Amino acid sequence: MDALLVLLAALALGGLVFLPWMRRRRAVQQTRQGLAVASDPMAGYGFVPLEELDVRLPGPDRALEEALDAVRRTHDWRPAAELLKSTGDDWERRWQRVQTLAGAAAFELAADGPAQQGGQRTGGIWLRTWRSEAPKDPGGAETHAQFLVVQALRDPGSQDFRMILEEARTVCREAGLLAPGSPIPYIVELAVARGLHERPADHEELWSEAARRAPHHMGAHLAALPYWSQKWHGSRTEAEEFAERAAAGAPTGSLLPALPLFAVYEHLPEANMVRSLYQSAVVERAIEGAHFALREAPADHPMAPHVRHLLVWFLVRAERYAEAMEQLRLVDGHVGAVPWSYGRSPAAEYAAYRALAIAGWEQLGGTSSGFPQDRP
């Protein structure tokens, strides 16, 4: 069944018509050849099988994984609180951890289903308990605010959408008072401003507060970018200018030179009949910016897996299979990142691209014996 899911996801990719029909057919045939490798860790590449891919995180974070496991097992909020307390002002890592904790609570609530008559929903109850028992804990407030954003964006058409985002904004401002130096409440509120259709001037004021506290924060820039995109309140030009300014002003060791790749992704056509799109100068320049950022940034940068996942997506479509395989080697095992998280089955969609990369790699003469299997 898992292999079937991967195959269906791979076939769905063909529906995006990014290759002519015959090319697409050959890609699917290659995918079938690579399916066993993609789903079988014993096939020689050392990749994680589909059913073991972790959809919660973009990359490894042992302390976060242990806290999540403890919270799920005991329904006690304290491991999450201790994790954020120990994270301190490592703002990139703290943002990643707040997102993941909030997502875990939202997932638990969704899995719990609607409350029975006269009953109470218990999914994510640890977060509600955290807020009631430690109302002055900034970590709890930050996680609660992000949880509300996730809940609202899960169903933008809901009649409660605006009400939930208004509550999220209130909690963001409470978190800001509890931790005046933290950029996290302002980063969370950027999504609120986008959903509530705040004026550009108001969004810019909010962005200035986040940037003043963490001027080169990759997560903050990724949170701000969609506002300026054509899908929301800006245009392709505005989004690309925002990304290019951030990349040009990035200090050594920053991941911001990769931001234009995310801007390009935000504005790809829904259907593309031109195979050369992914070999175009714009895409190639954005890919090279991402490669440069990853070379210059610390190997353990908490946002690096986000860049690597999006690179895999672009490199496979550009038929740069050897480069895609290198990114897969570094990031395989965790799939909680764009673009996979946009789909209904992130693990299956990731595994489909992985299968395409393997098939392309082998068509070019690559073998499992020649593929390095060391992990970071």
Side-chain angles (χ1 to χ4, degrees), residues 84-157:
L84 293 185
K85 183 178 180 180
S86 68
T87 308
D89 60 359
D90 183 349
W91 301 129
E92 293 277 19
R93 198 173 307 278
R94 187 179 184 91
W95 167 235
Q96 177 65 57
R97 289 174 170 177
V98 165
Q99 279 192 303
T100 304
L101 289 169
F107 177 81
E108 288 177 18
L109 185 61
D112 192 28
Q116 301 298 318
Q117 186 174 5
Q120 184 178 7
R121 300 174 74 182
T122 59
I125 193 171
W126 56 270
L127 179 55
R128 298 195 293 276
T129 307
W130 187 359
R131 293 290 286 138
S132 65
E133 294 184 355
K136 301 300 183 182
D137 185 345
E142 291 167 350
T143 304
H144 183 203
Q146 179 63 23
F147 166 82
L148 291 168
V149 168
V150 172
Q151 288 295 95
L153 295 180
R154 185 186 297 277
D155 185 9

Side-chain angles (χ1 to χ4, degrees), residues 83-342:
L83 175 74
L84 293 185
K85 183 178 180 180
S86 68
T87 308
D89 60 359
D90 183 349
W91 301 129
E92 293 277 19
R93 198 173 307 278
R94 187 179 184 91
W95 167 235
Q96 177 65 57
R97 289 174 170 177
V98 165
Q99 279 192 303
T100 304
L101 289 169
F107 177 81
E108 288 177 18
L109 185 61
D112 192 28
Q116 301 298 318
Q117 186 174 5
Q120 184 178 7
R121 300 174 74 182
T122 59
I125 193 171
W126 56 270
L127 179 55
R128 298 195 293 276
T129 307
W130 187 359
R131 293 290 286 138
S132 65
E133 294 184 355
K136 301 300 183 182
D137 185 345
E142 291 167 350
T143 304
H144 183 203
Q146 179 63 23
F147 166 82
L148 291 168
V149 168
V150 172
Q151 288 295 95
L153 295 180
R154 185 186 297 277
D155 185 9
S158 167
Q159 62 181 1
D160 297 328
F161 176 74
R162 187 173 186 87
M163 181 183 69
I164 296 172
L165 286 182
E166 293 281 6
E167 182 183 357
R169 180 161 59 188
T170 299
V171 179
C172 283
R173 293 178 180 178
E174 180 182 347
L177 293 174
L178 292 172
S182 172
I184 308 303
Y186 299 92
I187 299 173
V188 177
E189 196 174 345
L190 287 168
V192 175
R194 185 171 75 245
L196 292 177
H197 303 280
E198 296 283 1
R199 299 177 307 157
D202 294 331
H203 181 272
E204 188 62 32
E205 182 180 354
L206 185 61
W207 166 247
S208 296
E209 289 297 325
R212 183 168 65 84
R213 291 164 173 77
H216 306 295
H217 193 287
M218 182 66 173
H221 283 80
L222 288 176
L225 178 63
Y227 183 91
W228 300 113
S229 73
Q230 188 173 339
K231 297 174 185 176
W232 286 92
H233 309 297
S235 65
R236 176 174 183 166
T237 298
E238 288 176 291
E240 289 179 349
E241 286 178 350
F242 175 80
E244 293 291 348
R245 281 197 306 272
T252 302
S254 169
L255 279 176
L256 288 176
L259 194 63
L261 188 68
F262 290 84
V264 170
Y265 179 76
E266 284 281 335
H267 294 89
L268 288 171
E270 292 294 332
N272 171 46
M273 298 297 294
V274 182
R275 175 191 166 197
S276 60
L277 172 65
Y278 296 95
Q279 288 91 29
S280 67
V282 171
V283 172
E284 286 192 355
R285 186 165 59 248
I287 288 175
E288 294 316 308
H291 276 309
F292 171 81
L294 290 169
R295 286 196 302 270
E296 297 296 315
D300 63 346
H301 194 296
M303 297 299 291
H306 288 275
V307 179
R308 296 192 189 281
H309 280 289
L310 193 59
L311 257 182
V312 168
W313 192 90
F314 272 98
L315 290 170
V316 168
R317 291 197 165 206
E319 300 181 30
R320 295 164 65 166
Y321 300 117
E323 294 170 71
M325 291 291 284
E326 173 60 15
Q327 297 304 321
L328 286 167
R329 182 181 71 84
L330 296 170
V331 84
D332 189 67
H334 299 80
V335 297
V338 172
W340 328 119
S341 56
Y342 284 161

